[in-house]
C-alpha cells in the first residue's frame, strides 16, 4: 500500500516508516520539521535501503495536504504529526488545540475528498486519566490533566463520529503507553530538545554525564517501591504495532492499547538500565511531579487477539538500545 505518514520524521514516525518499508509498503512522509530534522529522512532510507517521498508541509494546511493527494494515490494514512510536550501544552493551549485538532480534521476531510478510507491515529494512554490499572479499551475515558491529553481525547471523538457517519471508513485509534528505546542500528532514536521531560532520555543523559543526577518524582505512591509505575514499550515494537493495525484494518472504529501489559517502577527501570549497560545512574528522590498518576499500564490482550501483535522486546533491550543511541548521538 501507499501510506502517507504524517510526522514521519519524528521519533515514533521514523521507526514506523522503517517497519512499513520492511513490510513492503511505500511511504510518503509529511512533516513540517517543527520537532525533527531533515536528516532523519536520509537515515530512514539508509536503514531500510529503500526510497521514501518527503513533503515538508504543515498538515493543518488543507492546501498543502491536497497537493500530496493530487500527486499520489494514497491508500491509507498514519497520523503521527502533533505537538506532544505536556508542560508546554499548559503554557500554550491554543497552539496545541489548533495544531493537533485542526490537523486531524484536515486529514479526515482530505480523506473524504479523495475517497481514502484507512486511517491510523496516534492516541495516548493519557486518555484513560486516573482509571484503575490495567487500562482496558472499554473503560470510560476520564479527563486528562492538560491540553495535550485533551487534544488526543477530542481527536479520538472526532474520528469516531466521522467513522460512524461513513460506514466505509476504517479507523484505528492506537493508545500508546510509554515508548522508549531506539532502533537497533543506533542511528535513530529519541533526541528531545533541551532538558528531557521523560524518564528514559533523562536517564541516558545522566549516564552520559550531560546531566548530574536523575530526580525521581516521589517515592510515596501506592506502588511496589513507592515510585511511579509505567508500561514502557520498545519503540520498534510500537512501530510494528502500527503495521499490524494498518494491515488488519476493517470498517468501523477500532481502539487498541499498544503496551506490554507490564508495569515497571522508576527504581526498577534505573536498576535495569544499570544492569543492561554496566553503568551507574546517580539519583535523588524529590517531590511528586504535579499531574503524575501512580500507575499506568495496559491490558494488551485486545491487540494480541485481533491484530496478532504483541510486544517482543524486554526492558533490558529497551535500556540497551536507548543507551546505544545516546552514546552515538551528537547534537
Ligand atoms: P515527535 O515530536 O518526535 O514527532 C512528531 C512529528 O510531527 C515531528 O517530526 C514534528 O515535526 C511533526 N509535526 C508536528 N506538528 C506538525 C504539523 N502540523 N504538520 C506536520 N508535521 C508536524 O513525537 P513522537 O514521540 O514521535 O510522537 C508521535 C505521535 O504520537 C504524536 O502525535 C504524539 O502525541 C503521540 N504520542 C507520543 C507518545 C510518546 O511518548 N512519544 C505517547 C503517546 C502518544
Ligand atoms: C508523560 C506525559 C504523558 C505522555 C507520556 C508519554 C506528563 C505529566 N505526562 O507521561 O502525557 O503521554 O509521557 O511519553 O508529562 N520521572 C522521574 N524523573 C524524571 C522523569 C520522569 O521520576 O526526570 C518519573 C515520572 O514521575 C513517572 C515516570 O518517571 O512516574 C515516567 O515519566 P515520563 O517518562 O515523563 O512519562 P509519563 O509520566 O508516563
Amino acid at each position: 500500500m501507499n501510506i502517507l505518514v504524517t510526522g514521519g520524521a519524528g521519533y515514533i514516525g521514523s521507526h514506523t516508516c522503517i517497519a512499513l518499508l520492511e513490510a513492503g509498503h511505500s511511504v510518503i512522509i509529511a512533516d513540517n520539521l517543527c520537532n525533527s530534522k531533515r536528516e532523519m529522512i536520509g537515515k530512514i532510507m539508509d536503514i531500510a535501503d529503500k526510497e521514501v517521498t518527503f513533503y515538508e508541509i504543515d498538515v493543518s494546511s488543507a492546501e498543502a495536504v491536497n497537493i500530496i493527494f493530487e500527486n499520489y494515490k494514497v491508500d491509507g494514512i498514519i497520523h503521527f504529526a502533533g505537538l506532544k510536550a505536556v508542560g508546554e501544552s499548559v503554557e500554550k493551549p491554543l497552539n496545541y488545540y489548533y495544531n493537533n485538532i485542526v490537523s486531524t480534521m484536515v486529514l479526515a476531510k482530505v480523506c473524504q475528498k479523495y475517497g481514502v478510507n484507512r486511517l491510523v491515529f496516534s492516541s495516548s494512554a493519557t486518555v484513560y486519566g486516573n482509571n484503575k490499572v490495567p487500562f482496558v479499551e472499554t473503560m470510560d475515558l476520564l479527563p486528562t490533566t492538560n491540553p495535550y491529553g485533551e487534544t488526543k481525547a477530542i481527536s479520538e471523538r472526532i474520528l469516531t463520529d466521522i467513522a460512524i457517519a461513513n460506514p466505509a471508513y476504517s479507523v484505528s485509534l492506537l493508545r500508546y503507553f510509554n515508548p522508549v528505546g531506539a532502533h537497533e542500528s543506533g542511528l535513530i532514536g529519541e533526541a528531545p530538545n533541551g532538558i528531557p521531560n521523560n524518564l528514559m532520555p533523562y536517564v541516558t543523559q545522566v549516564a552520559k554525564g550531560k546531566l548530574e543526577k536523575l530526580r525521581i518524582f516521589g517515592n510515596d505512591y501506592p506502588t511496589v517501591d513507592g515510585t511511579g509505575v509505567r508500561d514502557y514499550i520498545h519503540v520498534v515494537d510500537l512501530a510494528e504495532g502500527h503495521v499490524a493495525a494498518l494491515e488488519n484494518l476493517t470498517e468501523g472504529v477500532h481502539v487498541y492499547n499498544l503496551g506490554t501489559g507490564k508495569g515497571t517502577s522508576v527504581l526498577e527501570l534505573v536498576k535495569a538500565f544499570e544492569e543492561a549497560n554496566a553503568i551507574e545512574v546517580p539519583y535523588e528522590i524529590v517531590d511528586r511531579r504535579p499531574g503524575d498518576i501512580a500507575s499506568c499500564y495496559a491490558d494488551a490482550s485486545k491487540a494480541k487477539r485481533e491484530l496478532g501483535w504483541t510486544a517482543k522486546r524486554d526492558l533490558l533491550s529497551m535500556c540497551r538500545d536507548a543507551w546505544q543511541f545516546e552514546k552515538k548521538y551528537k547534537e
Side-chain angles (χ1 to χ4, degrees):
M1 289 189 272
N2 281 337
I3 307 302
L4 172 62
V5 183
T6 76
Y11 173 48
I12 307 170
S14 56
H15 290 83
T16 302
C17 288
I18 293 166
L20 286 166
L21 292 164
E22 285 171 348
H25 300 290
S26 300
V27 169
I28 303 156
I29 295 175
D31 198 303
N32 64 0
L33 305 180
C34 70
N35 197 35
S36 51
K37 298 201 175 90
R38 177 178 287 274
E39 67 190 35
M40 185 59 89
I41 310 299
K43 289 185 182 176
I44 292 169
M45 294 195 286
D46 285 348
I47 294 170
D49 198 17
K50 300 227 172 93
E51 295 290 312
V52 301
T53 304
F54 174 53
Y55 282 84
E56 186 178 342
I57 58 158
D58 187 323
V59 296
S60 59
S61 156
E63 295 79 47
V65 177
N66 270 313
I67 294 171
I68 300 177
F69 286 74
E70 291 295 339
N71 288 328
Y72 290 91
K73 184 190 157 294
V74 173
D75 298 306
I77 301 180
I78 306 185
H79 179 32
F80 290 105
L83 300 175
K84 63 161 183 177
V86 173
E88 189 186 56
S89 81
V90 176
E91 287 155 29
K92 300 175 182 168
L94 184 57
N95 285 8
Y96 274 69
Y97 284 115
Y98 190 89
N99 191 70
N100 293 4
I101 295 174
V102 173
S103 62
T104 302
M105 291 196 291
V106 161
L107 288 164
K109 244 189 145 168
V110 175
C111 280
Q112 271 179 356
K113 182 170 169 192
Y114 291 89
V116 177
N117 290 323
R118 285 193 199 92
L119 190 120
V120 174
F121 176 68
S122 295
S123 188
S124 166
T126 196
V127 298
Y128 289 110
N130 206 355
N131 260 300
K132 196 168 166 289
V133 284
F135 296 160
V136 190
E137 290 88 343
T138 48
M139 280 175 163
D140 286 337
L141 303 187
L142 295 179
T144 65
T145 54
N146 55 78
Y148 164 73
E150 290 306 297
T151 68
K152 292 297 172 191
I154 294 168
S155 293
E156 281 202 9
R157 213 160 55 231
I158 291 171
L159 292 171
T160 302
D161 288 343
I162 295 171
I164 290 168
N166 298 276
Y169 222 55
S170 307
V171 178
S172 199
L173 306 174
L174 303 182
R175 295 180 181 157
Y176 312 156
F177 283 70
N178 288 53
V180 295
H183 191 264
E184 60 181 12
S185 63
L187 291 175
I188 63 169
E190 190 174 15
N193 294 327
I195 297 178
N197 292 313
N198 295 116
L199 180 62
M200 186 66 97
Y202 205 105
V203 166
T204 59
Q205 293 197 15
V206 169
K208 204 178 190 183
K210 271 164 81 177
L211 296 168
E212 191 198 339
K213 60 178 131 165
L214 172 68
R215 291 175 314 133
I216 296 183
F217 299 137
N219 66 350
D220 56 352
Y221 286 106
T223 60
V224 57
D225 54 24
T227 64
V229 163
R230 298 292 183 271
D231 185 340
Y232 298 97
I233 173 168
H234 197 295
V235 67
V236 176
D237 276 326
L238 188 61
E240 290 170 1
H242 286 74
V243 178
L246 186 78
E247 292 181 346
N248 290 285
L249 205 48
T250 54
E251 284 154 14
V253 186
H254 310 277
V255 183
Y256 295 106
N257 285 340
L258 296 185
T260 63
K262 191 174 174 302
T264 301
S265 75
V266 179
L267 282 171
E268 285 170 341
L269 185 136
V270 169
K271 218 168 135 243
F273 188 91
E274 292 183 329
E275 186 191 326
N277 301 310
I279 191 161
E280 212 188 317
V281 179
Y283 67 83
E284 63 177 331
I285 308 288
V286 300
D287 286 346
R288 291 180 178 193
R289 179 172 64 180
D292 272 358
I293 57 174
S295 292
C296 168
Y297 56 90
D299 176 326
S301 57
K302 186 179 176 198
K304 183 174 183 188
R305 206 168 52 243
E306 295 190 8
L307 305 177
W309 170 89
T310 182
K312 298 195 286 272
R313 294 158 180 86
D314 64 8
L315 190 62
L316 290 177
S317 346
M318 299 179 213
C319 293
R320 256 193 316 266
D321 292 340
W323 178 227
Q324 194 193 196
F325 173 70
E326 181 69 59
K327 278 190 294 181
K328 280 195 187 177
Y329 183 70
K330 309 245 184 324
E331 277 107 314

